[in-house]
Amino acid sequence: MKISNYEIKQSKQVKLSDYSTKDTAGFKSKDEAKELLEQNIEKMIELQDKLYAQDKYSLLLIFQAMDAAGKDSTIKHVMSGLNPQGTQVYSFKQPSKEELDHGYLWRIQKVVPERGRIGIFNRSHYEEVLVVKVHDLLKSQPIPQDLIDKNIWQKRYEQISNFENYLYENGTIILKFFLHVSKDEQKERFLARIEDQSKNWKFSAADVEERKYWDDYQKAYEEAISATSRKNAPWYIIPADKKWFARLLVSEVIVETLKKLKLEYLKLSKERLADLQKSKEVLLSQD
Ligand code: ATP
Ligand code: MG
């Protein structure tokens, strides 16, 4: 599995219909992928420990997708086993009144991961150029209306790229995942949420309403991904009709990225090593 096949290069004009939702990179079944996912999770645990010990970089994972594409379950599976003290998950919902009284990056900036940590965004600042754009929400928000001109989205893509670049240049590694699910598969998953009692709680009639805007969302995603994929903050389009493959691919991207950082435990100075030795002797001489 070559992760570069799924990475969107800067300035690439993405057309989502050109990207498969069903691709599994040759893996034939969930069972076949299981071992590799487990290995990746083991590697991630090891790398996270070094990231935490080194306390220099942070990792920000951004998940965006249509409803029922599997954001929650991908986050759950891929992060299983990680040290909870070093991991922070944030789900971004409709902004509160307080949040709307600030620029849209305010609530994001407040929760970007600190050094040594992994931050996971379930939705993100990208909602600002997705749901807000599709439903033309700015016109009912407190933002001065004369600021909303025909270049508003272009400006927001630039603001987002500048913001992500700023994070990168301060030590945050950013990976952005679009879980790409087909419209048919989404329908199947909604139906399963209605029919399977254990999944009823996940169903929301509003999601079915939102499905009517499918094409508008696909277009908004295409524009946002095309405008904001950068070497320092790349988008990955993850085929997500097979949940097990989406999980595997996401884990692979994370492991490959962390490996490139060449994370190592700090080497202690001679003095520190001598101090440790002294402490050991003291301990051994005690009861
Ligand atoms: P689930 O898979 O559990 O449904 P979810 O991420 O869809 O998870 P919900 O509480 O159902 O969570 O929905 C959150 C809603 O908040 C989404 O419809 C999303 O579009 C909306 N939202 C997020 N950010 C913004 C924003 N900046 N402006 C307007 N709406 C937003
Ligand atoms: Mg929802």
Side-chain angles (χ1 to χ4, degrees):
M1 188 179 7
K2 255 181 86 179
I3 62 168
S4 59
N5 290 345
Y6 303 90
E7 179 181 339
I8 304 308
K9 301 286 174 306
Q10 183 164 341
S11 309
K12 167 100 188 152
Q13 292 306 305
V14 170
K15 209 168 164 354
L16 283 174
S17 55
D18 294 342
Y19 291 78
S20 169
T21 55
K22 296 180 175 47
D23 174 29
T24 57
F27 288 92
K28 289 195 183 56
S29 68
K30 186 174 178 173
D31 281 348
E32 214 182 282
K34 197 168 161 232
E35 201 178 306
L36 202 53
L37 177 62
E38 280 167 10
Q39 282 172 13
N40 277 348
I41 289 174
E42 281 303 311
K43 282 186 214 157
M44 245 188 283
I45 292 171
E46 208 182 296
L47 288 159
Q48 182 197 21
D49 202 49
K50 290 182 179 165
L51 184 84
Y52 194 83
Q54 201 183 58
D55 208 16
K56 293 219 176 310
Y57 291 104
S58 59
L59 177 66
L60 174 59
L61 308 173
I62 295 177
F63 289 89
Q64 285 287 161
M66 300 298 284
D67 286 306
K71 281 185 283 115
D72 292 22
S73 70
T74 304
I75 292 170
K76 188 166 103 188
H77 278 82
V78 173
M79 298 303 136
S80 62
L82 290 186
N83 177 359
Q85 297 208 72
T87 320
Q88 300 146 326
V89 184
Y90 291 95
S91 299
F92 292 95
K93 311 279 183 189
Q94 286 182 14
S96 65
K97 174 158 187 324
E98 189 192 17
E99 287 167 347
L100 285 176
D101 274 341
H102 296 82
Y104 65 97
L105 291 174
W106 181 72
R107 65 173 180 168
I108 309 294
Q109 170 69 69
K110 281 202 295 188
V111 295
V112 292
E114 57 206 87
R115 295 186 204 291
R117 311 288 169 110
I118 299 178
I120 298 157
F121 285 180
N122 184 344
R123 304 186 187 270
S124 65
H125 42 295
Y126 282 95
E127 291 294 318
E128 215 53 46
V129 290
L130 296 165
V131 65
V132 174
K133 184 178 185 207
V134 167
H135 290 292
D136 204 7
L137 297 179
L138 286 179
K139 69 174 192 301
S140 50
Q141 289 183 1
I143 184 170
Q145 296 295 301
D146 53 343
L147 293 179
I148 307 170
D149 60 20
K150 65 177 182 3
N151 297 322
I152 183 89
W153 307 115
Q154 199 48 47
K155 286 185 206 160
R156 291 188 166 221
Y157 300 140
E158 281 166 26
Q159 289 154 7
I160 289 173
S161 282
N162 289 339
F163 171 65
E164 291 176 350
N165 208 34
Y166 157 81
L167 293 179
Y168 177 82
E169 289 179 346
N170 283 278
T172 301
I173 308 299
I174 304 172
L175 295 172
K176 303 179 289 197
F177 300 104
F178 172 64
L179 304 187
H180 186 27
V181 77
S182 67
K183 200 175 177 191
D184 288 346
E185 179 63 24
Q186 189 199 48
K187 188 175 187 175
E188 290 305 312
R189 291 184 190 176
F190 282 163
L191 288 172
R193 287 178 179 188
I194 294 171
E195 276 149 25
D196 178 343
Q197 203 214 333
S198 71
K199 292 182 178 165
N200 282 170
W201 64 274
K202 286 194 220 169
F203 181 74
S204 144
D207 290 350
V208 175
E209 278 307 302
E210 214 50 15
R211 191 166 185 269
K212 296 179 184 160
Y213 296 91
W214 181 275
D215 291 344
D216 296 335
Y217 271 108
Q218 298 285 298
K219 199 159 162 277
Y221 267 111
E222 286 173 347
E223 276 192 34
I225 293 172
S226 304
T228 60
S229 205
R230 300 284 155 97
K231 195 160 180 293
N232 294 344
W235 274 106
Y236 287 86
I237 296 184
I238 306 290
D241 279 1
K242 294 276 181 265
K243 283 188 171 187
W244 54 265
F245 180 68
R247 289 168 198 160
L248 177 63
L249 183 54
V250 167
S251 72
E252 188 80 9
V253 174
I254 298 171
V255 167
E256 289 298 312
T257 305
L258 286 176
K259 269 202 211 152
K260 270 194 255 157
L261 292 179
K262 303 211 180 312
L263 298 165
E264 287 305 334
Y265 292 111
L266 295 180
K267 287 222 168 59
L268 296 183
S269 64
K270 275 203 187 108
E271 291 77 24
R272 270 297 282 150
L273 282 171
D275 285 347
L276 285 185
Q277 207 50 44
K278 256 189 233 152
S279 297
K280 182 176 168 186
E281 280 158 25
V282 173
L283 268 176
L284 289 174
S285 69
Q286 292 174 348
D287 314 330

